[in-house]
Amino acid sequence: MFHIGVVAPRLPGAAELLRRVDEAGAALGTGQEQPELSLVWQPLDGRWDAWQRNDPDTVRTQLALACVRLRQAGAHFFVCPDDTAYAPLDAGDADLALPGLHVADVVAAAAQRQGFARIGVLGTRWTLGWRRYADELEPMGLTAVPLPLWDQTTLHSIIFDELARGRSSLTSRDTVLSLIEDLRRAGCQAVVVGCPELGALVTPASSPLPLLDATQLLADAAVAVAVGDAPLPTWHGGPPARSLADPEVRSAG
């Protein structure tokens, strides 16, 4: 059994990921040992300005520190529920203390499995200005479709000014659903929900397009790795991936 580490820049998103991990673990069935999990809250309030100044190293340093603490707690790999945080993590060359499941890798694999060729992306302005989704999808013959810049600004405001503060409104829900409808009209076959809090507004039943829920996909992938149904991730190096047959790994579990 591998130990899951969670890097949490924002607690609301982390809480949603933990709920999904708990559900995925429970779905393993009775008699199956549940994965161990540790979380480090590494708040980035006041540091996103550095990212806007094209200084991602300042943000990455804080996130890298969280990985060090998770490794000290016994974690074998990490996940992060905040899509926005992956952009500064991508910006550096130095290995993190742990390997991580990259949200774009996980989402791209799900899109390919489900047969979607043209995928819209919802998230913060930083997520939508980041090319990792496109970089992962394009080699598979898939296309990532961003929102227009003015719609990115609207969605960013809804996420940070409302959802991240525990608020939501019918007006915001209708706005987000309208953005998804615009993506559908642009030929998209599915949409990435790249922010945990967006789940408060958008559900599979209400969405004009099938949802690729990044939080759910990360939770499922983390549990699969933890129980040995999927290999340890290798993104950004860290300790080499080891087999569940490794005595040290067995004793850690």
Side-chain angles (χ1 to χ4, degrees):
M1 182 74 69
F2 288 109
H3 183 150
I4 303 169
V6 178
V7 175
R10 292 185 293 138
L11 286 182
E16 186 61 24
L17 176 69
L18 295 184
R19 183 180 71 81
R20 307 287 186 93
V21 168
D22 180 63
E23 291 176 351
L28 295 172
T30 57
Q32 171 67 56
E33 184 181 358
Q34 298 297 304
E36 187 174 1
L37 182 148
S38 296
L39 179 146
V40 171
W41 179 32
Q42 193 67 50
L44 296 177
D45 294 345
R47 294 188 176 91
W48 289 120
D49 287 345
W51 181 240
Q52 290 180 300
R53 295 193 308 270
N54 198 29
D55 178 21
D57 289 344
T58 297
V59 179
R60 190 180 194 275
T61 297
Q62 298 302 312
L63 298 171
L65 178 60
C67 289
V68 171
R69 291 172 175 165
L70 287 170
R71 183 176 180 179
Q72 292 169 343
H76 295 103
F77 69 100
F78 80 92
V79 295
C80 179
D82 193 328
D83 273 29
T84 302
Y86 283 92
L89 286 174
D90 272 349
D93 294 327
D95 284 349
L96 301 170
L98 288 173
L101 280 172
H102 197 297
V103 65
D105 298 340
V106 172
V107 170
Q112 186 179 49
R113 285 196 307 271
Q114 296 179 46
F116 300 128
R118 189 172 172 84
I119 299 108
V121 182
L122 299 181
T124 67
R125 183 171 62 246
W126 294 302
T127 296
L128 297 179
W130 167 61
R131 276 199 51 84
R132 184 62 185 255
Y133 277 118
D135 290 343
E136 292 300 320
L137 291 167
E138 286 172 1
M140 299 177 178
L142 313 180
T143 302
V145 180
L147 293 170
L149 288 177
W150 53 88
D151 288 338
Q152 292 182 25
T153 299
T154 298
L155 184 58
H156 186 91
S157 177
I158 289 172
I159 292 170
F160 273 99
D161 296 342
E162 295 184 35
L163 300 179
R165 299 180 182 184
R167 301 196 301 265
S168 62
S169 67
L170 292 177
T171 299
S172 294
R173 183 201 64 184
D174 291 344
T175 297
V176 173
L177 292 176
S178 177
L179 296 178
I180 298 174
E181 174 60 22
D182 289 344
L183 289 168
R184 187 190 68 80
R185 291 176 179 173
C188 292
Q189 298 166 313
V191 63
V192 176
V193 180
C195 173
E197 292 89 347
L198 280 172
L201 296 181
V202 182
T203 66
S206 65
S207 174
L209 286 172
L211 303 180
L212 290 165
D213 186 331
T215 305
Q216 186 65 58
L217 293 171
L218 274 175
D220 292 342
V223 171
V225 171
V227 301
D229 288 343
L232 275 168
T234 59
W235 170 64
H236 267 289
R242 294 174 294 171
S243 165
L244 280 171
D246 187 319
E248 183 180 345
V249 174
R250 288 206 309 270
S251 64

